[in-house]
Amino acid sequence: MKNLDLNLLPQLQVLLELRNVSKAAERLQLSQPATSAALARLRRHFDDELLVRNGRNYHLSPFAQSLVPLVNDAMEHVQRAARVRSRFDPATSEREFIIAASDYAAVLMVRSLRGILQREAPHVVVDFVPTPGLEGNLAEYSKIDLLVGPQGYGMPGDSKQLFRDSFVAVVDTGNPILQLASPTLADLVSAPHAVGYFGEGISTPADKIFESKDVRRRVAAVVAGFLSLPLLVEGTDLVALVPRMLAARSQRGAEIAVLEFHEDLEAELVEAMYWHPSQTEDPASVWLRSVVQRACAQLHAFFPATTQGMVVAGNTVSGKAG
């Protein structure tokens, strides 16, 4: 500790990540000579080149590669220690919180969340960023204050359930499937589908409706997440499966109809909030979790539990759609 200036630690992290002095200087908002000097001091301390020139580029020395997880872990703890306060007063705080959430969760939460902030914490800012992935690790929490995501995917950290939703099918109001007296799962399978993508090999509860019947949808369009699916089907022959509350919200401004699923086909989605265990007792984190929980408790008041749609029967489907 006496032999290393700890101000070099964030510079070391960025140099190991970017492997380029110029880019590291830009990220750190330092001059290139200052960043080069920092690299020289780090090389002397570790007695290693760290960044080794390879043609016009640099790559990490074997020793530097071994440093990466250690430095990232150290910076995570330093950042957490710097943010912790013995007390937190939301009425006077100007803190900026970062919540990682899917587009679906963010759209549902923001209205009620903003209402609470306006009343209790007028100067607090809450930014939503995309989730780092359904199979993240605790290191991801060094960049965020809270993560909102589905249960059942092995997400790390402490957690608390927020709300439940279930899936429905959405179609354009002129889709021929609405002319059927009693649409079935087979009718849905025969139609072209728009689907949300969440990562390689990740199945959503919507996917499992079809997997349970050993059938595949005819996928005609793929988008990231659920949010754009209701607008994507409008004016087309496409079908999309989306969470019920998102469908209810989308019906207000789009020419779409909703098809409910018979109870034996219902697929439930349970959203929870996740945080690093070191944040459990932090007053600011405790307050943020309280706000998010209260905001989610209001969701069913804004988005009705029933969408008054036709019911898709849980019939047996023969054959597979490609």
Side-chain angles (χ1 to χ4, degrees):
M1 295 285 289
K2 294 179 180 179
N3 297 326
L4 177 65
D5 179 357
L6 291 183
N7 288 313
L8 292 173
L9 190 59
Q11 298 175 45
L12 175 60
Q13 184 184 41
V14 174
L15 285 164
L16 293 178
E17 178 188 348
L18 299 181
R19 307 177 190 184
N20 182 288
V21 173
S22 298
K23 291 180 180 178
E26 184 177 352
R27 168 84 66 84
L28 293 163
Q29 297 184 331
L30 297 173
S31 68
Q32 185 165 334
T35 307
S36 295
L39 176 59
R41 292 175 64 189
L42 288 164
R43 282 170 166 167
R44 287 195 298 271
H45 174 80
F46 290 110
D47 192 23
D48 186 86
E49 280 297 293
L50 301 178
L51 299 183
V52 181
R53 183 178 289 278
N54 182 13
R56 299 180 61 183
N57 300 314
Y58 286 89
H59 63 82
L60 299 183
S61 69
F63 175 76
Q65 293 176 23
S66 71
L67 278 180
V68 171
L70 299 176
V71 171
N72 289 341
D73 187 55
M75 281 298 298
E76 175 187 342
H77 288 285
V78 168
Q79 289 165 355
R80 293 204 174 282
R83 287 200 297 260
V84 170
R85 298 291 185 273
S86 60
R87 288 174 295 190
F88 177 75
D89 181 5
T92 59
S93 175
E94 297 181 355
R95 178 162 169 175
E96 178 180 341
F97 292 97
I98 299 176
I99 299 178
S102 67
D103 52 6
Y104 149 73
V107 162
L108 293 188
M109 290 167 49
V110 71
R111 176 178 175 180
S112 51
L113 185 66
R114 283 299 306 160
I116 295 173
L117 292 179
Q118 288 171 338
R119 293 191 302 271
E120 297 183 11
H123 306 296
V124 166
V125 175
V126 175
D127 289 335
F128 283 92
V129 299
T131 52
L134 294 179
E135 297 179 351
N137 53 63
L138 283 175
E140 299 288 351
Y141 291 128
S142 65
K143 306 166 189 172
I144 60 175
D145 295 287
L146 198 65
L147 186 149
V148 176
Q151 288 186 333
Y153 292 88
M155 299 175 77
D158 291 344
S159 66
K160 186 174 183 64
Q161 183 179 309
L162 288 173
F163 64 91
R164 293 175 178 269
D165 206 346
S166 58
F167 281 83
V168 295
V170 292
V171 297
D172 181 76
T173 52
N175 194 299
I177 201 169
L178 298 177
Q179 305 303 315
L180 302 174
S182 181
T184 65
L185 189 61
D187 297 318
L188 284 189
V189 170
S190 65
H193 281 247
V195 301
Y197 177 77
F198 294 90
E200 188 67 31
I202 295 176
S203 293
T204 70
D207 299 323
K208 292 171 184 176
I209 291 177
F210 297 95
E211 291 171 2
S212 68
K213 299 295 183 180
D214 195 29
V215 294
R216 293 193 303 271
R217 288 172 285 181
R218 182 156 57 94
V219 176
V222 178
V223 296
F226 291 127
L227 187 60
S228 62
L229 287 174
L231 294 177
L232 196 65
V233 305
E234 188 178 20
T236 74
D237 60 344
L238 294 169
V239 175
L241 271 61
V242 300
R244 182 189 305 271
M245 286 192 283
L246 178 59
R249 184 187 190 282
S250 302
Q251 271 189 302
R252 298 173 185 172
E255 295 294 323
I256 61 171
V258 174
L259 291 86
E260 306 270 356
F261 285 100
H262 190 269
E263 60 183 12
D264 66 343
L265 285 176
E266 278 194 332
E268 190 174 56
L269 175 65
V270 182
E271 293 280 312
M273 56 182 172
Y274 301 82
W275 64 93
H276 195 285
S278 65
Q279 293 175 296
T280 298
E281 303 299 330
D282 174 36
S285 182
V286 171
W287 175 81
L288 179 64
R289 297 196 300 271
S290 167
V291 169
V292 170
Q293 191 168 10
R294 284 181 282 148
C296 290
Q298 302 175 26
L299 290 183
H300 288 291
F302 294 134
F303 309 108
T306 176
T307 45
Q308 299 180 341
M310 301 174 68
V311 177
V312 176
N315 66 311
T316 300
V317 182
S318 57
K320 296 186 179 181

